[in-house]
């Protein structure tokens, strides 16, 4: 029994088996060499068009020998299957040419997509922006200098064809530029300038820095800085206003105390800042220039105090609109102000997959250094049993959050409550007081992240030693 040619159309080979026809099953579309198609019974003597490089015959597999099947016309290789993988009763001859052609198309499309990618590095400054455009191979396609204006940046990006990936360093313009580009390009990466070691090697200029940023983006060697959350944007601005005024007030108070201490005048606590005590402290200053300096600092302190109180009221009023406020305030000693600062700085807890990532952001992660960890014993490679050397806590962190949780832990350890019991339990096990406070701060931060992610209120069951 032989398979005779029946005809060709549009590059599709068709075969006909006398006395046994075959038609496509409409429920299973053919996929151009990507799979085996099924057939449906046809009237005796009818013929069906077989596409996608397959030849099927509606006869039992035992009735047709494999040697009687002839390869399809135009096929470079042919694979013969004894039985249909689904029903097990059809001899199938499959042409490999269709699958090879589809693989070639797939590789061609992938290559075209890679050639269409553009990596853009932007070196931001107050007045101008230096831009460099690289293709997927790292070849510099364009370098330009733009004005630091939205219209100029958009016109520059509209003149570049392809899929655009943009990067620039974290700076004062980063939030504004991220919001401008996020909806106009495929990817925006705001990178940490402290980790771009490549920028410190060799010559330095705006054009060179832009090209190196684009190259680091192409190699995926940048450390991104989080941007994109807008639900807590108003709280973030209010928190920055309040913390800035608080820092200014603290700075003025420290300078004022430094003036009195320079003349060996004792000024413990906050007595020197009260209005009824100021004259007594000013009289002790022998020089008129020192008195004028102290009076200027007092006037500056009087101006900052009402501004800070107003910023605090506005921050707390805005924070009450956020749904996570009541969850965070349920944690003992976290309070309203700390909860507001936490929401303004973190914005969303879902940027941290685990508590250890949150610890690194808060400055509570361990910094380790090790080398030569493995040795050969009796011909086998084994890891050394020496303890992992710890060099302290990580330096790259958010200092406000570290101070927030450390102050919370210090207050919780000194006052009665579940956190004090946890702290005393650590001391009873022989832990040093400073390490116990650090462990308590890590515990409070882990509980904060859990409650913020899942919702709900604080529960004492979260205080488990193994979770610290």
């Amino acid at each position: 029994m032989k398979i005779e040619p029946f005809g060709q159309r549009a590059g599709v080979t068709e075969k006909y088996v006398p006395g046994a026809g075959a038609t496509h099953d409409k429920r299973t579309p053919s996929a151009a060499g990507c799979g085996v198609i099924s057939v449906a019974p046809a009237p005796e003597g009818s013929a069906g068009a077989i596409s996608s490089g397959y030849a099927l015959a509606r006869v039992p597999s035992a009735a047709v020998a494999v040697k009687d099947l002839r390869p399809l016309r135009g096929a470079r290789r042919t694979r013969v299957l004894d039985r249909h993988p689904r029903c097990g009763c059809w001899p199938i001859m499959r042409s490999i040419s269709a699958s090879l052609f589809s693989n070639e198309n797939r590789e061609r499309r992938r290559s075209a997509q890679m050639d269409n990618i553009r990596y853009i590095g932007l070196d931001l400054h107050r007045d101008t922006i230096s831009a460099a455009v690289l293709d997927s191979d790292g070849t510099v396609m364009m370098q330009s200098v733009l004005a630091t204006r939205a219209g100029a940046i958009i016109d520059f990006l509209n003149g570049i064809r392809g899929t655009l990936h943009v990067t620039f360093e974290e700076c004062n313009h980063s939030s504004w530029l991220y919001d401008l580009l996020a909806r106009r390009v495929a990817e925006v990466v705001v990178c940490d300038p402290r980790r771009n070691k490549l920028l410190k090697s060799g010559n330095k200029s705006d054009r060179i820095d832009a090209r190196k940023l684009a190259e680091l983006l192409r190699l995926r060697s940048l450390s991104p800085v989080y941007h994109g959350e807008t639900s807590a944007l108003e709280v973030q601005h209010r928190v920055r206003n309040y913390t800035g005024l608080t820092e200014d007030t603290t700075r003025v108070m420290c300078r004022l105390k430094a003036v009195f201490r320079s003349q060996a005048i004792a000024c413990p606590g906050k007595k020197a800042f009260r209005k009824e005590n100021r004259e007594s402290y000013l009289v002790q200053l022998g020089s008129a220039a020192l008195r004028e300096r102290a009076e200027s600092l007092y006037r500056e302190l009087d101006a900052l105090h009402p501004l800070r109180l107003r910023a605090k009221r506005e921050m707390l009023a805005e924070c009450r609109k956020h749904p996570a406020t009541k969850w965070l305030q349920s944690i003992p000693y976290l309070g309203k102000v700390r909860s507001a600062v936490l929401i303004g700085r973190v914005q969303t807890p879902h940027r941290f997959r685990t508590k250890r990532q949150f610890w690194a952001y808060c400055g509570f992660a361990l910094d380790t250094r090790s080398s030569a960890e493995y040795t050969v014993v009796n011909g086998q490679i084994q890891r050394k049993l020496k303890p992992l050397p710890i060099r302290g806590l990580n330096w790259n962190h958010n200092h406000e959050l570290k101070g927030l949780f450390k102050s919370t832990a210090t207050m919780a350890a000194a006052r009665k409550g579940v956190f004090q019991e946890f702290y005393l339990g650590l001391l009873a096990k022989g832990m040093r007081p400073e390490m116990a406070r650090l462990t308590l701060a890590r515990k409070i931060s882990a509980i904060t992240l859990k409650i913020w992610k899942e919702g709900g209120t604080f529960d004492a069951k979260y205080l488990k030693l193994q979770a610290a």
Side-chain angles (χ1 to χ4, degrees), residues 65-78:
V66 173
K67 65 180 181 179
D68 293 331
L69 297 177
R70 188 173 59 189
L72 299 177
R73 180 180 300 176
R76 286 175 288 180
R77 286 188 295 152
T78 303

Side-chain angles (χ1 to χ4, degrees), residues 64-134:
V64 180
V66 173
K67 65 180 181 179
D68 293 331
L69 297 177
R70 188 173 59 189
L72 299 177
R73 180 180 300 176
R76 286 175 288 180
R77 286 188 295 152
T78 303
R79 184 173 65 185
V80 179
L81 305 178
D82 291 337
R83 292 180 180 273
H84 191 284
R86 185 176 300 169
C87 59
C89 62
W90 312 105
I92 301 173
M93 177 178 289
R94 177 185 179 185
S95 170
I96 309 299
S97 59
S99 61
L100 290 178
F101 181 72
S102 64
N103 291 336
E104 292 175 0
N105 286 340
R106 191 179 300 109
E107 293 296 333
R108 191 179 298 112
R109 288 194 300 268
R110 185 181 296 110
S111 178
Q113 291 175 357
M114 291 297 296
D115 294 339
N116 202 32
I117 296 178
R118 302 291 181 262
Y119 299 97
I120 304 174
L122 301 178
D123 189 33
L124 305 181
H125 297 279
R126 184 194 63 184
D127 299 326
T128 60
I129 299 176
S130 297
V133 183
L134 273 62

Side-chain angles (χ1 to χ4, degrees), residues 405-418:
F405 285 113
K406 285 180 64 176
S407 62
T408 304
T410 303
M411 183 181 296
R415 300 183 180 181
K416 294 183 178 180
V418 291

Side-chain angles (χ1 to χ4, degrees), residues 115-122 131-135 141-144 146 152-166 181 184-186:
D115 294 339
N116 202 32
I117 296 178
R118 302 291 181 262
Y119 299 97
I120 304 174
L122 301 178
V133 183
L134 273 62
D135 61 6
M141 301 182 61
M142 180 193 309
Q143 283 191 309
S144 179
L146 318 172
I153 298 172
I154 294 174
D155 292 341
F156 172 74
L157 295 178
N158 291 338
I160 303 175
R161 294 184 179 180
T163 305
L164 307 184
H165 298 256
V166 184
L181 302 181
R184 292 180 170 88
V185 298

Side-chain angles (χ1 to χ4, degrees), residues 6 11 41 52 93 122 154 183 194 203 226 228 313 320 380 393 408:
F6 182 70
S52 304
M93 177 178 289
L122 301 178
I154 294 174
R183 295 173 295 177
R194 292 174 291 186
N203 297 330
Y226 180 79
R313 289 194 300 267
R320 281 193 290 268
Q380 300 292 330
L393 302 178
T408 304

Side-chain angles (χ1 to χ4, degrees), residues 34 57 79 119 137 155 181 216 242 249 269 281 307 348 358 371 382 400 419 422 428:
C34 298
R79 184 173 65 185
Y119 299 97
D137 297 328
D155 292 341
L181 302 181
L216 290 174
Y242 171 74
T249 304
Y281 279 96
L307 293 177
T348 174
F358 189 53
S371 182
Q382 295 181 2
E400 289 190 18
F419 286 143
F422 179 84

